[in-house]
Amino acid sequence: MKQLLHKLFSVFMAMLLLLSTISWTVEKHLCMGRVMDIALFNHAEDCGMKAGLSLLEDADTVKKHCCNDEAFTMQGQDDLTHDISSFDFSQKVFLISFTSSYIGLFEETTDENVDFDSYPPPILAEDLNILHQVFLI
């Protein structure tokens, strides 16, 4: 079970690293306020309205077409090296305490019975509570 969790965690971290370093571009093609096409990493296809208006001879209608293209680009992270010296004191305290408590979860605890060899228990011949009929109520 531990090996399976370790492999899953490794794959998750590799995917997280890959997704954080890639630049993402999302383009939308809007026609009359409605989304007609969405594309990742490349250009969104138009709806053909601009080509249809270009066949008309009126130049004003070509300029006033109802289509819009929107693009959103999220730049990936290029610098992946972080120094512990760039952290402030509270971040260092959190990092060290979290790491030590997390590692403490995986330590095996051994519950050893402590034998008191030098102090033997008293030898009871009879149960004194029953003998004297003293009971806690």
Side-chain angles (χ1 to χ4, degrees), residues 20-71:
S20 68
T21 55
I22 293 176
S23 296
W24 295 87
T25 301
V26 179
E27 289 197 8
K28 294 189 293 185
H29 179 75
L30 301 167
C31 187
M32 290 190 279
R34 299 176 85 189
V35 177
M36 300 304 283
D37 189 29
I38 296 176
L40 292 171
F41 305 116
N42 56 4
H43 298 289
E45 294 181 11
D46 61 349
C47 59
M49 181 78 67
K50 193 173 189 179
L53 290 176
S54 66
L55 295 175
L56 297 173
E57 295 181 11
D58 190 10
D60 292 333
T61 58
V62 174
K63 291 180 184 177
K64 296 180 183 178
H65 61 86
C66 59
C67 296
N68 291 331
D69 290 324
E70 293 180 4

Side-chain angles (χ1 to χ4, degrees), residues 102-119:
Y102 186 74
I103 289 173
L105 291 174
F106 298 108
E107 290 179 358
E108 291 186 21
T109 58
T110 56
D111 295 332
E112 294 180 9
N113 293 334
V114 179
D115 295 330
F116 294 105
D117 292 334
S118 58
Y119 300 105

Side-chain angles (χ1 to χ4, degrees), residues 48-94:
M49 181 78 67
K50 193 173 189 179
L53 290 176
S54 66
L55 295 175
L56 297 173
E57 295 181 11
D58 190 10
D60 292 333
T61 58
V62 174
K63 291 180 184 177
K64 296 180 183 178
H65 61 86
C66 59
C67 296
N68 291 331
D69 290 324
E70 293 180 4
F72 171 73
T73 302
M74 185 176 72
Q75 293 295 326
Q77 185 179 3
D78 291 333
D79 184 24
L80 296 177
T81 57
H82 292 290
D83 241 351
I84 196 163
S85 62
S86 64
F87 294 147
D88 62 350
F89 181 71
S90 63
Q91 290 174 336
K92 287 179 185 177
V93 168
F94 173 76

